[in-house]
Amino acid sequence: MDQAVGVPIPDPAGASGDQAAETVRQLRDMATPAGTAALSRAGALLAERTDAVTALSRLRAEVGVALAGPAWGFARQRDRARAVFGADADRLLFTADALEQAGRPRLADRRAARLLAGGADSVVDLGCAAGTDTIALARAGARVVAVDLDPVARELTTVNTAALGLADRVEVVAGDAVELVAAATDGRVAGCAAAVLDPARRAGGRRQLDPDRWSPPWSTVRALLDAVPTCAVKVAPGLDHDRVPAGVEAEWVSVGGSIVEALLWGREPSRTWRRATVVDRDGALHELTAATDPGTADAGPVRSWLHEPDPAVIRSGLVALVAGQLGGTLVDPTIAYLTSDDPADSPWVSSYPVVEVLPFNLKKLKALLRARGVGRVTVKKRGSAIEPETLARQLRGPGEGSAVVVVTRVAGAPTTIVCGHP
Ligand SMILES: C[S@@+](CC[C@H](N)C(=O)[O-])C[C@H]1O[C@@H](n2cnc3c(N)ncnc32)[C@H](O)[C@@H]1O
């Protein structure tokens, strides 16, 4: 299903329009029985680690010239998607661009459950791309209107929801999120009681740091948050806290120590001021919330333990809350390293025993590491211009031991904190 909603949609023209039409045609081919067989053969060749030239010539002979190239291309994207999408990857189709923009299904499921918890039964996915959010929302029981300006995105969502048996709950439509949000009334948008908005934050392969240049832009994010209480918006993790409107909960999510997404929750699902969600290396999920700004932690001298807060804790502005839990202080008022007398058993920090604290001086540092028999170092830095990999190479030595070398500022002074492993 692919119909216009609300406003006339500018159709992509020229070369990129032709390319989009060709990709849509290929996606439709892949959804036929012959395409499915070609894809599964391409997947088998990939699994056998067949090189591209051999694989393509075999595919041409076995499934025909028209299906061989697309089958190989989509099988390669499936292969890349498997790490995040698991078994579903073998039923889904992605273009390289859509996979790049796709969120994590586990987080999309969690977002869908929270968004629907208040009773909304219909949701518009404003910018559906390959359909990650649409799939999560449909699986959570909602009727979903999946909107995108891009015909390739619409086709991807169409074939992907059909492949997962969700087509009866999903309507894929051409639409401009800017226009749809501007027309929102009575807390509803595109006829739905809830909305998910995940603006494109890349253009020409580069990250758009300025929210006014996202597509849709910040003005649409703001308008949605104001007009539709039951909504969730994915934003860049670097979003300035000053942009978060009052009454809107902002959440930062990390997986395995890296930030993967940031969200603004509409006024209905919002429960707190800020939330840090940490999915640890074992897959367990931990949430830290603050109803009001906890401010900045006190600073003090380096003590027996150094703690590196998880990036979700740092970005959400909750370091002071964790400092309170650990009985810790900052090593510098402007640096997010904490220090305390005791080790911490906490999902919010990685902790290292402090071995030595010295002013930053490469020669002295090398001598100290040699004297301690340290040959391998992991370098961490915060508030310093050094390049960690370069310094780690410079510090490498013959010793058997290893250490964590933290280059930072302590009370304003460039300092090295030599630590052991946790
Ligand atoms: C970041 S992607 C969405 C990714 C998706 N939530 C997922 O996890 O797979 C953004 C999508 O928004 C679409 N888009 C950008 N501007 C739009 C607009 N004004 N109206 C509708 N869709 C738009 C893009 O074509 C792209 O498919």
Side-chain angles (χ1 to χ4, degrees):
M1 194 176 346
D2 191 326
Q3 64 194 46
V5 139
V7 287
I9 304 308
D11 219 28
S16 65
D18 292 346
Q19 209 177 352
E22 173 59 14
T23 308
V24 167
R25 196 186 57 73
Q26 290 177 354
L27 285 165
R28 286 182 184 156
D29 284 351
M30 289 301 106
T32 63
T36 307
L39 258 171
S40 99
R41 181 68 187 119
L45 288 165
L46 261 177
E48 293 160 12
R49 297 181 183 278
T50 315
D51 68 86
V53 175
T54 313
L56 275 166
S57 84
R58 280 201 208 159
L59 280 171
R60 279 190 206 108
E62 292 175 27
V63 303
V65 176
L67 291 179
W72 180 249
F74 287 117
R76 285 183 49 205
Q77 299 309 330
R78 269 190 179 169
D79 211 36
R80 286 179 57 213
R82 204 164 289 119
V84 170
F85 283 81
D88 274 353
D90 291 323
R91 292 192 282 166
L92 299 175
L93 292 174
F94 297 94
T95 58
D97 191 42
L99 187 55
E100 178 85 17
Q101 301 197 68
R104 291 170 180 250
R106 180 181 175 194
L107 298 179
D109 288 345
R110 179 174 171 266
R111 194 162 47 243
R114 181 165 171 197
L115 195 66
L116 300 175
D121 60 358
S122 59
V123 187
V124 58
D125 181 2
L126 295 162
C128 55
T132 322
D133 282 291
T134 293
I135 289 166
L137 291 160
R139 278 180 166 163
R143 179 180 70 78
V144 189
V145 177
V147 175
D148 211 293
L149 277 178
D150 175 5
V152 173
R154 297 195 298 271
E155 193 59 32
L156 282 167
T157 297
T158 302
V159 295
N160 286 340
T161 49
L164 297 177
L166 299 167
D168 58 339
R169 271 180 245 167
V170 177
E171 189 184 355
V172 181
V173 297
D176 183 343
V178 175
E179 306 287 343
L180 292 169
V181 171
T185 41
D186 299 331
R188 301 174 75 88
V189 55
C192 297
V196 169
L197 172 59
D198 181 6
R201 298 179 294 280
R202 286 179 174 274
R206 294 179 53 193
R207 235 175 238 153
Q208 284 294 352
L209 297 176
D210 179 358
D212 295 328
R213 301 178 78 105
W214 296 347
S215 182
W218 177 257
S219 53
T220 296
V221 172
R222 189 58 223 246
L224 181 71
L225 289 166
D226 286 344
V228 180
T230 308
C231 70
V233 184
K234 262 214 237 173
V235 294
L239 186 82
D240 193 336
H241 280 246
D242 289 347
R243 288 213 185 232
V244 183
V248 164
E249 174 186 328
E251 175 182 15
W252 278 261
V253 184
S254 73
V255 175
S258 300
I259 287 277
V260 294
E261 63 183 45
L263 300 166
L264 300 181
W265 289 97
R267 290 185 169 80
E268 193 280 325
S270 281
R271 294 287 174 271
T272 188
W273 176 71
R274 297 289 184 266
R275 183 183 306 259
T277 299
V278 170
V279 181
D280 67 24
R281 287 185 167 78
D282 300 324
L285 194 143
H286 311 268
E287 295 183 42
L288 181 70
T289 59
T292 55
D293 186 349
T296 311
D298 291 337
V302 179
R303 294 185 263 160
S304 306
W305 286 83
L306 187 76
H307 310 285
E308 182 181 27
D310 185 276
V313 172
I314 298 175
R315 296 272 192 176
S316 56
L318 301 183
V319 172
L321 206 61
V322 174
Q325 290 178 2
L326 304 184
T329 42
L330 293 169
V331 299
D332 183 282
T334 62
I335 302 282
Y337 281 128
L338 291 167
T339 183
S340 72
D341 294 326
D342 300 309
D345 181 15
S346 161
W348 316 125
V349 294
S350 303
S351 302
Y352 304 91
V354 174
V355 174
E356 194 101 28
V357 182
L358 62 161
F360 182 74
N361 176 309
L362 187 56
K363 226 168 133 188
K364 286 192 177 147
L365 178 59
K366 268 184 173 171
L368 175 88
L369 295 173
R370 295 287 173 281
R372 288 185 167 271
V374 171
R376 277 174 300 115
V377 296
T378 304
V379 174
K380 292 179 173 286
K381 70 143 187 178
R382 198 155 278 164
S384 161
I386 62 116
E387 216 281 295
E389 274 89 47
T390 310
L391 183 61
R393 263 198 309 278
Q394 289 171 325
L395 294 176
R396 204 178 290 149
E400 290 288 299
S402 64
V404 178
V405 168
V406 178
V407 183
T408 187
R409 281 197 307 274
V410 170
T415 303
T416 308
I417 306 171
V418 179
C419 300
H421 289 285

